[in-house]
Amino acid sequence: MNYGFVKLPLVPVRAADNECSEMTTQLLFGEYVKIMEEREKWLYVENIQDGYQGWIDKKMIAITSESIVLKSRKMKVTKVCSPYALIHNQVLNQGMLIPGGSLLYNLQGDVFDLCDQTWTLMDVNCVLNPLNQNADKNTCVEFLINTAMSYINTPYLWGGKSVLGIDCSGLVQTVYSIAEFSLPRDASQQAQYGRPIESLSDAVIGDLAFFGDAKGKITHVGILKNNTEVIHASGWVKIERIDERGIISSITNEYTHRLQTIRRILLSDE
C-alpha cells in the first residue's frame, strides 16, 4: 500500500473524484495520508492524523512508502501554533505560507528538511508552545483560548481548516490539535469525546458546546470562552452570547443555534 505526504500548504479533500465536488475537509502541510484507491488523476485517501477519508488530486501530494511514514513517527515533530507561518526554500529561493496545525519534521533551530530540500522557518515564534513543558491546567486553558482568539474574523468555509477559511468543526479540531489534543473532524464525531456536562452553569472555559436540530442531530460546535460567551465559526469566527437555549446573534439578538450538549475535553476533575 502506498502513502502520500502533503507538501503544499493546503490540499482540498473532496466527496467525489472531480473538481466540482464539494470540499469536505483539507489536508495540512506535513500530514501523511494512506492511499486507499487510485484512479487516473485522483486518489482516495485516509488522513493518518484523524482517519478522515476523501478524494484528492493526485498531483497535489508526494507519493511515499510505508517505511518513510514509519520513519517519520520516530522524528521530532513540531507543530505550527500561530494561524500561519512563512517558510523559505533555501535551494529554490522561494517562500511559502503554511497554516496553523502544519507539521515540521526534525526542526533544528529554524531549519528543517522536506522532500530532500532544506527549508527555513522565518519566525520561530510560530512554533513556540508552552504546553511542551508540563504545563498546568491554567496554562492549557489560556493557550487554548488564545489560539482560538487568533482565528477571530476568519471567514466561514465549508470544509476549511485555515485562517483563510474555516468551518465550525475545523476550527475546533485545529485549535485543539495545536493545544495537543486530538479530535475527529466532524462536530457529530467530536460530540462523542470527553464527558458530558449537565448545564452551562457547570461548564468551564475551553469546554465544547454542541448545537443541533429539534431531533437532536449535532450540526454545529463552538468553544466556550466562559459561561456566557462562545467562540464559533458561523459566517466568520466570532464571539457571541450563549445561554441554556443556545447562541444569541450579535447582530439580530435572535437565537441562531439550539444548544444540545456540552462536553469537557481539555480538563478533568481528577
Side-chain angles (χ1 to χ4, degrees), residues 47-199:
N47 187 342
I48 293 178
Q49 301 295 319
D50 61 16
Y52 206 89
Q53 298 182 352
W55 291 95
I56 64 171
D57 187 325
K58 184 186 297 186
K59 62 179 175 288
M60 298 185 76
I61 65 166
I63 304 299
T64 190
S65 65
E66 184 176 12
S67 62
I68 296 297
V69 176
L70 294 175
K71 183 179 179 181
S72 72
R73 292 176 179 174
K74 299 178 182 179
M75 295 180 181
K76 172 190 172 185
V77 181
T78 305
K79 193 170 291 183
V80 174
C81 298
S82 59
Y84 64 89
L86 176 63
I87 59 176
H88 187 266
N89 188 310
Q90 296 182 1
V91 176
L92 300 178
N93 193 28
Q94 295 176 351
M96 184 165 69
L97 284 173
I98 56 176
S102 294
L103 306 176
L104 310 180
Y105 296 87
N106 281 346
L107 179 68
Q108 302 295 328
D110 60 355
V111 176
F112 67 98
D113 291 327
L114 169 68
C115 297
D116 298 324
Q117 295 177 337
T118 301
W119 292 74
T120 301
L121 177 64
M122 302 307 292
D123 182 3
V124 294
N125 290 323
C126 293
V127 297
L128 294 181
N129 187 337
L131 306 186
N132 291 335
Q133 295 89 30
N134 299 317
D136 59 24
K137 290 182 179 181
N138 290 334
T139 301
C140 290
V141 170
E142 182 180 7
F143 181 69
L144 180 90
I145 295 301
N146 287 342
T147 301
M149 291 293 292
S150 70
Y151 284 84
I152 291 293
N153 289 321
T154 296
Y156 182 91
L157 175 66
W158 178 267
K161 289 184 62 176
S162 84
V163 72
L164 296 180
I166 205 164
D167 63 22
C168 65
S169 57
L171 173 68
V172 167
Q173 186 191 45
T174 300
V175 168
Y176 265 76
S177 172
I178 291 173
E180 304 298 339
F181 289 84
S182 297
L183 288 175
R185 179 62 177 86
D186 293 338
S188 59
Q189 299 169 321
Q190 294 169 357
Q192 304 303 313
Y193 279 64
R195 68 178 184 85
I197 303 301
E198 289 188 7
S199 69

Side-chain angles (χ1 to χ4, degrees), residues 156 158 167-169 187 200 209-214 217-222 230-250 252-261:
Y156 182 91
W158 178 267
D167 63 22
C168 65
S169 57
L200 192 59
F210 293 91
F211 309 85
D213 57 26
K217 180 181 178 181
I218 300 296
T219 58
H220 191 67
V221 61
V230 61
I231 305 169
H232 71 127
S234 179
W236 64 96
V237 179
K238 53 192 170 183
I239 304 169
E240 291 190 306
R241 288 185 296 138
I242 183 175
D243 63 19
E244 294 288 354
R245 285 183 58 188
I247 296 175
I248 304 167
S249 170
S250 56
T252 67
N253 210 35
E254 298 176 346
Y255 287 96
T256 58
H257 299 83
R258 180 198 300 257
L259 182 62
Q260 295 282 1
T261 185

